[in-house]
Structures are given as C-alpha cells and as structure tokens.
Amino acid sequence: MKSEYYTSVIRIKGSESHAMVPVKSDQPIDRSHFIEISKVLSRIYVGVPLDRGDIICSNILNTGVNIIVTKTIES
C-alpha cells in the first residue's frame, strides 16, 4: 500500500476571524486509513489559541501517527 502525509482542516470554536485550521499527519500514513481519519476528524472542534505543531489527535486509529496543526491561530 502507498503511504502519504494526510492533510485536512478541522473546525475551530471561539475564533472570530477563523472557522477552520489546516492540519496534517506528522509522518506518512497508509492511504487506506484516509477515509476513517476523515470521519474521526470531522467530529472534532478545537479551541484557540493554536500554535503550529500542536497535536490535535495523537496516535490516530492506533497507527502511531499524530495529527498536528500547521498554522498558528491567536483568536
């Protein structure tokens, strides 16, 4: 199976200027997990402030891969 970095966006709660923040996996993950990861992340809302590199979801689907924020959001 082919492995790639997973990228997506997650909804933000409590920010007047941003509705979503970009996220990605911290290491390549098998593409067969992408749909399930999308389902998990679609249920998540995060609060501000967020710093680039913050872990949103650690060890997603027991893969050993973390989902991290790729943009700093102050509020």
Side-chain angles (χ1 to χ4, degrees):
M1 290 285 182
K2 186 171 180 177
S3 293
E4 294 181 16
Y5 283 91
Y6 175 85
T7 59
S8 187
V9 292
I10 291 184
R11 294 175 283 190
I12 297 177
K13 199 166 41 170
S15 174
E16 295 177 11
S17 59
H18 295 86
M20 301 193 140
V21 63
V23 297
K24 73 171 191 167
S25 59
D26 64 354
Q27 55 187 312
I29 189 167
D30 194 299
R31 291 193 71 179
S32 66
H33 295 295
F34 280 18
I35 292 174
E36 286 302 314
I37 292 172
S38 295
K39 288 177 184 178
V40 169
L41 295 181
S42 71
R43 298 182 196 114
I44 296 176
Y45 285 85
V46 294
V48 289
L50 294 165
D51 290 321
R52 184 174 184 216
D54 283 353
I55 296 174
I56 297 300
C57 187
S58 64
N59 192 23
I60 193 159
L61 301 177
N62 293 320
T63 58
V65 176
N66 300 319
I67 303 298
I68 60 171
V69 174
T70 61
K71 180 180 178 183
T72 298
I73 307 285
E74 297 298 326
S75 60

